[in-house]
Amino acid sequence: MTATDATQVSLDLRDIVQEYPQRDGTGTVRVIDGISLHLERPGIVMLLGPSGCGKSTLLHMMGGVRPIGTKTPTQGEVLIDGVPCHGAHDDVVMVFQRYANRPDLSVRENVAFPFRLKCWRERVPKAEAEQRVDAMIDAVGLGGHRNHLPSQLSGGQNQRVALARALVLRPRILLMDEPFGALDAQTRAEMQTLLVQLYEQNPCLIVFVTHDVTEALTLGDRVLVMSTAPAKIADDFAILEPRPRSSAWQRSTEAVRLEERILDQLHAKSSRRGSVTVSI
Amino acid sequence: MSDASSTWNPYAPLAASTARALGVGAVLTVLVLWAVLTGFDLVSPNKLPSPWQVAKAFAYLVWDGENQRSLLWNATIWSLGRVFAAGVLVVAIGIPVGVLMGASTRVNAALSPLVDPFRSAPVVALLPIMVMWFGIGEWMKILFLYAGAVVYLIPLVRDAVRAVPQAYWISARDLGATPWECIRLAVLPLAMPRIADAVIVAVSVMWTYITVAEYVNAREGLGQLIQNARRFSAMDQVFAGIIVIIAFALLSYHLMRWIKGRLYPWETRV
Ligand SMILES: Nc1ncnc2c1ncn2[C@@H]1O[C@H](COP(=O)(O)OP(=O)(O)O)[C@@H](O)[C@H]1O
Ligand SMILES: [Mg+2]
């Protein structure tokens, strides 16, 4: 088996339906209405959609992060490498918007946290774990902050910690739920550059949720646009332009056309709720 | 007037020196009032002894030259010992039970009807029952203090565990932690500062119950010292005893706060 084979991965969603109990307890709401997808590495897949359309719901099921108290998915199946996935999966790690860094642990301890868990202790020898942690902290540019607490870091630095904690496990699938959504424009651009760098060094399948059209065009190999109430895949296209994408490309007719295509789709949704137009 | 210098502004910053001056000033005012009331015989000394009488009683309790003994030292050692012994029990039993209740809604549903109502139970009324069950010896006193404090500690520890945001649980689960690892490695460490606060409350509760615990057949102890003095109508000694108990409660409170700050420095910086 070659190294490429070892990181080969496929992620399939089959007829995913998600219903949530209504807040007032009267019946259920259908949030996701029969989504099927086939994703393969390597690549950055952008999942774009209006707020509240079910992006997080869909992303969480890809990683086996299940909401407590609701069956997910209501119908359908998630398959990783063709195998149905029901719980947390070793090859899938998630980066949350609110980064979930532990306030009581230093940067280094935060990044090394997964290796305190039995399942990773068994698989990765201590010396290798230490070396991976240190290398990853340097890779995300926090070499000078090893012993700092998260409260001493900025939002962007905190998101670097979360990214490092996910990547030390060398996941084959990395799920990111609006990870840079809370950052200012300057910091977001820096984080996007960093993510692309890390991706080039160690390609994996990244599914990246965003509601920012520019972010989708900056990062994505493939862009999935979701409709809302209930969500379907409304548009699905590839971007062939290699990364890093220059600002000249961002202004090119191709980029502008793609942007208009996405915006049309998103606006179509808010004016004609529930109706679905699929154009692939 | 600017907002910052306004009296009626809960967010106005206050210099440490101003805060101290106001506090000391209030205490001195009460002392002066006390001295005036007793000095001019406005209140009978049988009801309210004067500050200097209390000071004299205090000196006597510290060192009784006639009998070559220190009543206060002896009493303090005994009371401290009881609070300490009961405190060890409270922590050793209350924290694990509270953590289990916080960690499992099922365990909580089963145990909370057995624990929560006792927070408002008349603990003092339990004393005769404790005497019936455990006799009038040392165990009765320690178990009484234990019972009085543990019913406060358990719900507070449970709430401390439940107050940890679910995000840490979800994130640890995603990384592959077992449920028990999530509790041990993610939830519990984050609950520790609030658990420490719960222990501090429990110890304060024990200091308020010490006089009750030493009500029955105590030969030594601060509570007994107050009892004894009251029986001989030595109001000055009663006051001195009360002040000593308050002083110890305050001392242990600040000591524990300081220890907590050293153990969990990250808490204040979040
Ligand atoms: N656990 C849950 N229980 C009930 N409703 C939920 C739950 N999680 C999400 N929802 C609802 O499902 C919809 C989609 O949520 P979400 O996936 O978080 O959207 P997005 O990430 O696109 O903003 C929202 O209307 C939200 O209120
Ligand atoms: Mg979301």
Side-chain angles (χ1 to χ4, degrees):
Chain A
M1 225 192 217
T2 67
T4 334
D5 287 331
T7 51
Q8 195 68 44
V9 69
S10 74
L11 174 62
D12 287 279
L13 303 185
R14 290 218 184 122
D15 304 314
I16 296 289
V17 172
Q18 182 63 51
E19 287 170 352
Y20 282 125
Q22 219 144 21
R23 298 238 185 274
D24 53 14
T26 60
T28 56
V29 201
R30 182 165 289 209
V31 175
I32 292 173
D33 189 23
I35 287 185
S36 293
L37 271 179
H38 175 72
L39 306 177
E40 256 181 15
R41 86 154 279 272
I44 303 182
V45 178
M46 305 302 287
L47 197 55
L48 195 76
S51 152
C53 75
K55 303 182 295 295
S56 298
T57 300
L58 198 65
L59 192 75
H60 283 73
M61 18 177 121
M62 292 178 188
V65 177
R66 298 294 150 85
I68 293 160
T70 316
K71 181 184 181 293
T72 47
T74 311
Q75 285 167 44
E77 239 182 347
V78 178
L79 300 107
I80 293 170
D81 296 329
V83 182
C85 161
H86 300 288
H89 196 285
D90 297 338
D91 285 314
V92 189
V93 182
M94 182 129 175
V95 175
F96 300 86
Q97 175 171 4
R98 304 273 314 282
Y99 31 81
N101 289 336
R102 288 273 300 275
D104 58 328
L105 302 181
S106 69
V107 166
R108 194 176 190 289
E109 289 166 328
N110 260 292
V111 176
F113 180 76
F115 295 119
R116 285 169 64 190
L117 307 174
K118 188 158 166 284
C119 64
W120 293 106
R121 274 203 323 262
E122 279 169 354
R123 253 171 284 173
V124 183
K126 197 169 162 47
E128 192 199 330
E130 302 269 306
Q131 181 253 319
R132 274 205 219 173
V133 167
D134 283 317
M136 191 50 71
I137 291 173
D138 289 329
V140 297
L142 289 179
H145 299 279
R146 279 186 166 71
N147 299 318
H148 288 171
L149 289 174
S151 55
Q152 296 168 295
L153 303 180
S154 68
Q157 288 171 324
N158 265 295
Q159 200 51 275
R160 283 166 199 256
V161 175
L163 197 55
R165 180 177 48 232
L167 292 176
V168 277
L169 297 177
R170 306 204 173 137
R172 291 187 298 153
I173 302 177
L174 179 65
L175 306 176
M176 307 185 80
D177 192 357
E178 302 196 31
F180 311 146
L183 305 177
D184 60 89
Q186 167 79 30
T187 313
R188 188 179 319 148
E190 280 168 25
M191 291 302 293
Q192 288 166 353
T193 311
L194 174 70
L195 181 68
V196 169
Q197 263 171 28
L198 294 169
Y199 169 79
E200 303 292 346
Q201 285 160 20
N202 244 320
C204 61
L205 172 59
I206 299 181
V207 185
F208 191 115
V209 164
T210 184
H211 59 241
D212 177 349
V213 180
T214 313
E215 186 161 61
L217 295 181
T218 309
L219 296 176
D221 290 308
R222 181 175 171 187
V223 177
L224 301 167
V225 185
M226 283 170 80
S227 61
T228 190
K232 293 204 171 209
I233 300 296
D235 198 358
D236 179 351
F237 58 84
I239 303 176
L240 299 174
E241 179 71 16
R243 282 176 300 257
R245 291 176 185 150
S246 64
S247 49
W249 180 80
Q250 298 279 6
R251 287 190 301 270
S252 71
T253 31
E254 185 195 359
V256 172
R257 258 191 37 241
L258 289 174
E259 187 174 340
E260 277 166 6
R261 177 170 168 178
I262 295 171
L263 288 174
D264 279 351
Q265 204 51 255
L266 294 178
H267 291 153
K269 237 119 293 136
S270 45
S271 53
R272 286 182 284 132
R273 282 194 150 242
S275 72
V276 184
T277 40
V278 184
S279 58
I280 296 176
Chain B
M1 203 201 287
S2 85
D3 260 8
S5 57
S6 160
T7 302
W8 299 113
N9 176 357
Y11 315 102
L14 193 61
S17 56
T18 319
R20 207 174 311 120
L22 289 170
V24 171
V27 172
L28 282 180
T29 309
V30 170
L31 279 176
V32 168
L33 204 67
W34 180 13
V36 169
L37 280 176
T38 50
F40 292 98
D41 283 331
L42 297 172
V43 182
S44 129
N46 296 332
K47 286 187 181 148
L48 184 64
S50 65
W52 39 95
Q53 274 177 301
V54 172
K56 226 190 294 165
F58 181 76
Y60 164 78
L61 291 174
V62 169
W63 185 246
D64 174 6
E66 207 174 301
N67 296 307
Q68 292 290 300
R69 62 181 181 174
S70 171
L71 286 169
L72 193 63
W73 171 252
N74 205 22
T76 302
I77 291 297
W78 277 90
S79 292
L80 264 179
R82 286 177 187 130
V83 168
F84 185 79
V88 169
L89 271 182
V90 166
V91 165
I93 296 172
I95 291 184
V97 171
V99 167
L100 291 178
M101 285 171 76
S104 161
T105 45
R106 286 173 201 204
V107 173
N108 184 50
L111 293 189
S112 77
L114 303 177
V115 176
D116 288 337
F118 285 92
R119 264 203 280 201
S120 39
V123 176
V124 178
L126 283 180
L127 193 62
I129 302 172
M130 303 292 278
V131 170
M132 225 149 59
W133 287 354
F134 305 110
I136 53 173
E138 215 43 54
W139 271 110
M140 178 274 291
K141 300 176 186 70
I142 291 171
L143 288 175
F144 172 79
L145 283 179
Y146 161 77
V150 85
V151 294
Y152 276 94
L153 185 76
I154 291 174
L156 287 174
V157 170
R158 178 217 26 222
D159 296 345
V161 172
R162 298 222 292 206
V164 175
Q166 203 181 310
Y168 298 106
W169 168 281
I170 292 173
S171 163
R173 283 291 279 162
D174 178 49
L175 293 170
T178 62
W180 184 240
E181 278 180 318
C182 286
I183 290 167
R184 199 165 49 86
L185 299 176
V187 176
L188 207 50
L190 292 170
M192 280 320 286
R194 273 187 72 164
I195 291 178
D197 285 334
V199 171
I200 293 173
V201 169
V203 172
S204 304
V205 167
M206 285 195 285
W207 277 114
T208 66
Y209 285 148
I210 187 75
T211 44
V212 184
E214 292 174 348
Y215 205 86
V216 178
N217 183 47
R219 271 178 278 277
E220 285 95 0
L222 291 168
Q224 178 273 345
L225 194 141
I226 293 173
Q227 277 302 317
N228 231 19
R230 201 184 50 116
R231 212 172 314 148
F232 297 109
S233 298
M235 283 308 274
D236 46 358
Q237 287 190 23
V238 172
F239 270 72
I242 291 173
I243 290 171
V244 169
I245 290 181
I246 293 175
F248 270 104
L250 270 180
L251 200 71
S252 58
Y253 174 82
H254 284 289
L255 183 69
M256 287 186 295
R257 287 294 300 246
W258 180 79
I259 293 173
K260 184 201 155 192
R262 295 304 296 263
L263 285 178
Y264 311 111
W266 56 270
E267 196 223 8
T268 48
R269 275 191 256 162
V270 175

